[in-house]
Amino acid sequence: MADKIFMKNALLLGKAESSYGVDPTPTGSANAYLAEDMTLSPMEGETVDLSYYKGFFGSDISLQTTHYMTLEFTLPWIPGTNTPGTASHFDPLFKACGLAATAMASAVTGTPQGSNTDAITLASNASSTNNIYRGVIIDISPTGEKAVLLDYNGTTKRAGTMTKTGVWDVNPTNQDDYSICQNMAYDPVSKDQGSIAFYYYLDGILHKMFGARGDFELTAEANNMQRIKFTFTGLYGGIADASMPTPSYSAFNTPVPLNSTNTMGGIHGCNMSGNDTGVQLKKFTFGLGNTVKHRQLVGSEAVVISDRMAKGSVSLEMTPMALLDWFDRIQESTTGIIFLQNGTEAGYRTNIILPKAQLMKPKYSNDDNVAMLDMDFKAIWTSGNDEVRLLEM
């Protein structure tokens, strides 16, 4: 009897392509992914049915006109490097989902020019690029204050801020110093997206997928962890028996759970602290909403990302109307910032920030007999390709 093929004896390798659809030869030592819930469809595609008049009933052969692969898997979102500002194993995945990377390899330091309770004016030699520091953590010394920079005006050097308690406990002054942390930031692009090649080993059977592009959905839930589910479509690269390489998972850190110690954030100006000016978040989801299509014409074959409609949802404990009238904001189509930053140590921190999130479709739910407010949201662009930013710090 032939040996059985076991589903758990699966191994996934992935490597960015330098040229579209050309095998970059991923290796187990450098390109293995420690993934959950992997599902491969080895031969998707379209068929054309033949239907002859032949003097009797019966089916005729169908012609397979296109064939491609699809792959789904989930990864806990935790940077795979302890050196902030250095690309992690998420880098080729994010790029193949239509994001572009900006590396800040060194901390940006200086002395504030001024501040108020929810902003800071950086030094005159700070960057002139608008929003280059958006979503990044700033540390103030000697007070020890920390905040997330919500926006940044490259002309005035003014940055909006939110601390874990909402506003500065001690306002920064020109007697203090600041440090903006090293980071990798990922912003959407509408053309020239990256692509990735996958090797999927199923207990000694190698499936090759090239030119893959895709989409993802992030789920973050209190007392759990952040997970990103990736869905890729790629060109069929062949299936054959092959020895499984030895994988290295040294780049994969232990996930950081979401809780009141590790996590901070804000929704439309309310910080996630649960105090008199804050809210308590139970669950957050976000999806890029890419339109991913396999296209084969005479003379060409590719997987393309042809549109993007980013959206998600939040579930939080219902708050008194005096804190914020959520229903008025929905009725008036008012937009606001949503962000969720997780992790406290350099190299283990992530942030997702949506500068213009429009809340929609409110409804109540019951959680331990506590009234919850569940809302959908859309991520709206401001200048273009800026409706979301992901950061690893």
Side-chain angles (χ1 to χ4, degrees):
M1 184 175 66
D3 289 341
K4 299 186 185 305
I5 304 298
F6 293 105
M7 293 296 294
K8 289 288 287 187
N9 289 346
L11 171 64
L12 180 65
L13 313 181
K15 187 176 181 180
E17 296 178 339
S18 299
S19 299
Y20 183 78
V22 177
D23 186 359
T25 317
T27 65
S29 59
N31 308 116
Y33 281 100
L34 195 56
E36 300 176 305
D37 301 326
M38 288 195 294
T39 302
L40 175 74
S41 295
M43 189 171 284
E44 297 281 359
E46 300 175 356
T47 60
V48 173
D49 294 332
L50 297 176
S51 183
Y52 295 121
Y53 290 91
K54 48 192 176 289
F56 49 86
F57 294 163
S59 297
D60 296 301
I61 195 169
S62 297
L63 302 179
Q64 187 85 23
T65 59
T66 65
H67 53 276
Y68 55 89
M69 291 179 167
T70 61
L71 175 67
E72 295 182 356
F73 58 91
T74 300
L75 294 174
W77 189 25
I78 180 73
T81 172
N82 295 332
T83 305
T86 303
S88 76
H89 53 275
F90 282 94
D91 185 80
L93 300 174
F94 286 156
K95 289 177 177 176
C97 289
L99 303 180
T102 302
M104 188 177 293
S106 301
V108 175
T109 60
T111 299
Q113 297 187 65
S115 72
N116 59 32
T117 56
D118 58 359
I120 187 171
T121 302
L122 303 183
S124 59
N125 63 349
S127 175
S128 60
T129 302
N130 288 339
N131 293 322
I132 191 170
Y133 305 128
R134 171 176 276 161
V136 187
I137 297 170
I138 186 170
D139 291 271
I140 309 296
S141 60
T143 63
E145 291 269 18
K146 294 179 183 289
V148 171
L149 300 180
L150 302 179
D151 52 38
Y152 174 69
N153 186 310
T155 301
T156 65
K157 314 302 180 184
R158 192 77 163 166
T161 61
M162 180 175 282
T163 71
K164 195 164 186 177
T165 58
V167 296
W168 299 110
D169 291 328
V170 180
N171 289 345
T173 72
N174 58 11
Q175 302 300 307
D176 298 320
D177 295 304
Y178 65 77
S179 178
I180 300 173
C181 72
Q182 302 153 270
N183 66 89
M184 291 291 297
Y186 294 89
D187 301 287
V189 291
S190 295
K191 61 182 301 184
D192 300 327
Q193 298 97 344
S195 61
I196 188 170
F198 290 108
Y199 282 14
Y200 177 90
Y201 291 85
L202 180 59
D203 207 0
I205 303 174
L206 171 58
H207 307 73
K208 294 184 178 182
M209 177 194 294
F210 303 135
R213 292 186 170 120
D215 193 16
F216 69 73
E217 182 173 81
L218 167 68
T219 300
E221 190 166 5
N223 304 316
N224 206 309
M225 67 186 75
Q226 297 182 112
R227 286 183 168 91
I228 300 180
K229 180 179 180 180
F230 291 94
T231 304
F232 283 99
T233 299
L235 308 181
Y236 179 85
I239 304 173
D241 293 328
S243 299
M244 299 205 7
T246 301
S248 172
Y249 298 120
S250 59
F252 286 78
N253 292 322
T254 302
V256 177
L258 280 83
N259 54 39
S260 57
T261 300
N262 299 327
T263 313
M264 65 174 291
I267 302 176
H268 280 229
C270 296
N271 64 302
M272 296 177 190
S273 67
N275 60 21
D276 291 341
T277 61
V279 298
Q280 295 202 70
L281 178 78
K282 180 174 177 62
K283 188 174 182 179
F284 169 90
T285 68
F286 171 80
L288 271 180
N290 287 338
T291 300
V292 182
K293 295 292 184 181
H294 172 265
R295 285 179 57 80
Q296 179 172 289
L297 303 175
V298 175
S300 69
E301 183 183 15
V303 175
V304 299
I305 298 174
S306 59
D307 202 358
R308 181 180 65 248
M309 296 289 179
K311 59 184 179 179
S313 65
V314 293
S315 178
L316 52 92
E317 289 188 357
M318 182 55 187
T319 59
M321 300 297 286
L323 175 65
L324 188 68
D325 190 335
W326 304 100
F327 308 104
D328 180 71
R329 296 184 77 81
I330 293 171
Q331 179 69 28
E332 298 299 323
S333 301
T334 304
T335 61
I337 297 171
I338 296 178
F339 79 95
L340 186 67
Q341 190 252 309
N342 193 51
T344 58
E345 298 181 26
Y348 293 83
R349 299 178 296 198
T350 63
N351 193 9
I352 178 171
I353 183 165
L354 314 166
K356 286 179 64 176
Q358 179 185 358
L359 299 171
M360 308 167 66
K361 299 180 179 178
K363 61 178 181 291
Y364 293 123
S365 62
N366 186 320
D367 184 65
D368 294 332
N369 206 31
V370 175
M372 306 295 292
L373 179 62
D374 304 330
M375 295 177 285
D376 294 341
F377 64 78
K378 292 174 63 177
I380 309 298
W381 61 272
T382 302
S383 300
N385 295 316
D386 58 358
E387 66 267 38
V388 61
R389 169 173 265 205
L390 278 71
L391 300 104
E392 297 185 339
M393 302 174 284

